[in-house]
Amino acid sequence: MGSRKLITLGATLISLIVAAASAEALDLNGAWVGDADNCSKVFARKGAQLGFTDMSDVYGGGFIVDGDQIVGKFARCRIKARKDNGPNVNLVAACATDIMLSSIQLSLKELDANSIVRLFPGMEDMEIRYFRCPAS
């Protein structure tokens, strides 16, 4: 009976550690734009579905993350690998447009719960900041 309690305690501790580690993972889900003031100019609801406005690219465009899917106006990607390291996350995604397939690597850094920066390793001065749009 004592060994069962020890196994149960061990399993509970492992599940708590896994839950704590996943709780710190960057939540990318949502709609992201380069200028937070342009959310309504880039995204529009079509029924229950969030999509892009006809002129979204004029306002800097953006992207939508839903689980392992990253959707842009002209491309759709599926996240194949993800590695979280504190506020940084590295992604490998398989992407498709109307004319080609490609694999891309993304390096992101969380600034706060609603803003991230895309980093370009090897180009230290280059980065793109994105803001999460409020759910509507």
Side-chain angles (χ1 to χ4, degrees):
M1 194 73 157
S3 64
R4 282 189 181 179
K5 286 183 181 179
L6 188 58
I7 291 171
T8 303
L9 178 63
T12 302
L13 287 173
I14 290 172
S15 64
L16 288 173
I17 291 168
V18 169
S22 64
E24 291 184 28
L26 173 60
D27 177 21
L28 292 171
N29 286 307
W32 297 86
V33 294
D35 181 348
D37 293 334
N38 288 337
C39 287
S40 64
K41 297 173 184 168
V42 174
F43 301 108
R45 286 235 174 250
K46 297 169 185 160
Q49 190 78 355
L50 184 63
F52 294 89
T53 63
D54 290 336
M55 301 294 288
S56 63
D57 47 336
V58 172
Y59 300 101
F63 59 93
I64 301 167
V65 178
D66 185 13
D68 69 346
Q69 302 288 317
I70 303 172
V71 180
K73 187 165 185 176
F74 301 108
R76 177 176 289 273
C77 303
R78 182 179 191 106
I79 299 170
K80 295 298 200 177
R82 175 179 174 147
K83 182 175 181 184
D84 289 87
N85 184 11
N88 298 314
V89 63
N90 290 303
L91 304 172
V92 175
C95 299
T97 67
D98 288 342
I99 58 172
M100 68 182 256
L101 300 172
S102 62
S103 181
I104 63 165
Q105 183 174 352
L106 299 165
S107 294
L108 306 171
K109 181 176 183 176
E110 179 181 29
L111 300 177
D112 60 46
N114 293 308
S115 61
I116 58 175
V117 172
R118 180 175 179 194
L119 305 171
F120 295 85
M123 294 185 261
E124 308 318 323
D125 296 335
M126 187 168 177
E127 62 184 39
I128 303 172
R129 188 169 184 169
Y130 292 100
F131 301 89
R132 188 188 324 254
C133 293
S136 53

